Amino acid sequence: MRFDILTLFPDMMAAVLDTSMLKIARDKGCAEYRIHDIRDFTKGVHRKADDRPFGGGPGMVLKPEPIFECLESFLSPEELNSIPLLAMSPQGERYNQTMAKDLSKEIRIVILCGHYEGFDQRIFDGLPLKEVSIGDYVLTQGELPALVLIDSLVRLRPGVLGDAESAARESFENGLLDHPHYTRPVEFRGMTVPEVLRSGNHAKIEAWRLEQARLCTQERRPDLLEPPPES
């Protein structure tokens, strides 16, 4: 799975992509990361990628020219309309595990990291970008959401995780949050691992885990248990 990442902070992206499971995935040949510095496509000695907004107001806006030229430097017109182009933006569609599973089937994804007050609207008018948001809050830059998205996709690719069952047993995979987990020691400061988990009875353990997952979901995310709206 290849990721092309358009960013103003290539060193920030490279540092995280060269760590932990993201690095392991790359070393295994399961993922490839290509970082494109938007400033390489700016004009002038100051490599200015932003400017003041028309109509006034605070902040700066990302200019359209370097974004278009950067994309066109490594994508053909056909690829521009066939490869998923994602822009990390608080105005985008809310990201969730369902979207992650769908996107993880792609072999190539392009991600545009936002910054400042946002993008010049002509970037969206002239490019088939899909805006994606990781939550209802605002961050200083789009590199962090992009890394969240990449991490969530890479771990779903075959061969990345040590145990393929790991991803299938986590929160949201079956419409529930995950159940509680325990490890050694059996007793810690008066807190004890539930006896059922030490029983060796796999049927009872699975039943306990499912019930705990339902209780956890009911308490913390009851919206996940609501039936989908009728179409």
Side-chain angles (χ1 to χ4, degrees):
M1 188 177 196
R2 170 176 163 177
F3 295 91
D4 287 276
I5 307 152
L6 282 66
T7 174
L8 294 171
F9 302 97
D11 292 343
M12 176 182 179
M13 299 297 297
V16 178
L17 296 173
D18 196 36
T19 305
S20 188
M21 293 305 301
L22 295 174
K23 179 180 185 299
I24 292 173
R26 184 195 63 205
D27 293 346
K28 285 184 174 181
C30 299
E32 178 184 0
Y33 316 114
R34 298 198 182 184
I35 301 173
H36 306 269
D37 189 345
I38 295 172
R39 296 186 195 278
D40 288 344
F41 299 87
T42 57
K43 304 294 189 293
V45 295
H46 299 294
R47 306 179 76 208
K48 191 175 178 61
D50 64 311
D51 211 332
R52 295 176 181 176
F54 279 111
M60 305 291 277
V61 177
L62 279 174
K63 295 163 62 67
E65 309 101 296
I67 303 297
F68 276 78
E69 291 181 21
C70 182
L71 284 170
E72 290 166 354
S73 73
F74 64 91
L75 290 178
S76 68
E78 293 76 18
E79 289 174 325
L80 274 171
N81 291 285
S82 60
I83 296 172
L85 306 181
L86 309 181
M88 308 311 298
S89 165
Q91 286 83 31
E93 180 180 344
R94 178 80 69 85
Y95 189 62
N96 56 29
Q97 191 67 10
T98 299
M99 191 188 302
K101 291 172 72 173
D102 289 341
L103 287 173
S104 71
K105 300 171 186 175
E106 300 287 344
I107 61 172
R108 189 177 179 187
I109 292 177
V110 177
I111 304 175
L112 172 58
C113 303
H115 200 60
Y116 309 117
E117 285 297 307
F119 303 95
D120 186 297
Q121 180 59 36
R122 289 167 292 186
I123 295 172
F124 298 114
D125 293 343
L127 294 168
L129 283 161
K130 175 183 177 68
E131 295 182 78
V132 178
S133 168
I134 64 168
D136 294 343
Y137 50 89
V138 179
L139 297 170
T140 305
Q141 55 205 33
E143 282 72 18
L144 294 174
L147 288 167
V148 168
L149 186 143
I150 293 169
D151 185 279
S152 68
L153 297 181
V154 167
R155 67 192 316 279
L156 293 176
R157 296 291 294 181
V160 174
L161 297 180
D163 186 343
E165 189 179 359
S166 296
R169 295 177 64 92
E170 295 176 325
S171 292
F172 309 112
E173 285 301 318
N174 56 2
L176 300 173
L177 298 182
D178 202 1
H179 57 76
H181 295 268
Y182 295 87
T183 188
R184 293 174 178 81
V186 172
E187 189 276 334
F188 174 72
R189 297 188 179 184
M191 297 175 284
T192 306
V193 176
E195 184 176 348
V196 64
L197 297 179
R198 296 177 280 135
S199 68
N201 188 317
H202 296 293
K204 287 185 177 181
I205 290 172
E206 287 303 309
W208 180 89
R209 286 174 170 169
L210 179 58
E211 178 61 19
Q212 292 298 311
R214 287 173 176 162
L215 291 173
C216 182
T217 306
Q218 181 62 53
E219 177 184 352
R220 303 179 188 181
R221 290 291 306 276
D223 57 293
L224 295 176
L225 299 176
E226 296 175 359
E230 296 182 3
S231 57

